[in-house]
Amino acid sequence: MKVFADILRWIAKHWAISTAILLVIAVGVTTLICWNTFGKEKPDYVPVYVTVTGLGEGRDMEKRELIVDSEASVAEIFSLDYPEIYEDFRQPLVANNTFRSFMGVMANSSKQFYVKIDGMHENALSQAYVNEGCIIEIDYR
C-alpha cells in the first residue's frame, strides 16, 4: 500500500511528465488498434471456374465456380489454404508441382492429371496463377 501511495505522490509532483507519458501511450495504443483494423490490405477475391474430365463415376464437372484470391496459384487453391475447397475436392494432393491425387483418384504410371488455365497447359502448379474468370481444366488421362 505504501508503494502505491509513493507512486501517486510522484505522479502528482511530476504531473507534466505523467501527462506526456500517458498521451504517448494513448496515441500509440490507438495507432496500433487502427492500423490492425483498417491498415491491412484486403485480398481481392475473384471467381474461377473448374472443369474436371476423365475421372468418371460422376466425378467429372463443368465450370464449377470457386471464389479465390486473385493472386492464388492452382497449388494454393487445392490446398489447406482454402479448407472448404480442399474438403469439397476430397483432399487433393499436389506434390512436385503436379496432382498426385484429385477427387479420390490417384495418379499412376499409366494415367496422370493435366492442368490447363484458359487453354494453356501448366506444368508447375505452384506457379500457375489464376485471374478473374479463368477456366481451370483438369484432365485425367
Side-chain angles (χ1 to χ4, degrees), residues 48-49 72-75 77-78 114-138:
V48 297
Y49 302 94
S73 70
V74 173
I77 292 170
F78 294 104
Y114 296 92
V115 179
K116 292 181 183 178
I117 297 179
D118 286 336
M120 300 288 294
H121 183 70
E122 296 294 338
N123 290 329
L125 298 184
S126 63
Q127 297 173 356
Y129 296 100
V130 299
N131 51 42
E132 184 175 358
C134 74
I135 298 173
I136 302 170
E137 298 173 50
I138 301 170

Side-chain angles (χ1 to χ4, degrees), residues 61-123:
M61 63 184 72
E62 178 127 359
K63 294 187 179 178
R64 179 174 171 185
E65 183 181 63
L66 303 176
I67 305 297
V68 298
D69 185 1
S70 64
E71 298 176 358
S73 70
V74 173
E76 291 170 342
I77 292 170
F78 294 104
S79 71
L80 284 172
D81 291 346
Y82 295 89
E84 289 179 13
I85 295 172
Y86 184 75
E87 291 300 323
D88 286 348
F89 285 88
R90 299 184 189 154
Q91 302 174 349
L93 174 63
V94 176
N96 295 330
N97 283 318
T98 60
F99 280 112
R100 296 292 181 212
S101 169
F102 190 80
M103 298 286 292
V105 177
M106 300 290 289
N108 56 40
S109 60
S110 62
K111 285 187 150 188
Q112 295 181 7
F113 293 97
Y114 296 92
V115 179
K116 292 181 183 178
I117 297 179
D118 286 336
M120 300 288 294
H121 183 70
E122 296 294 338
N123 290 329

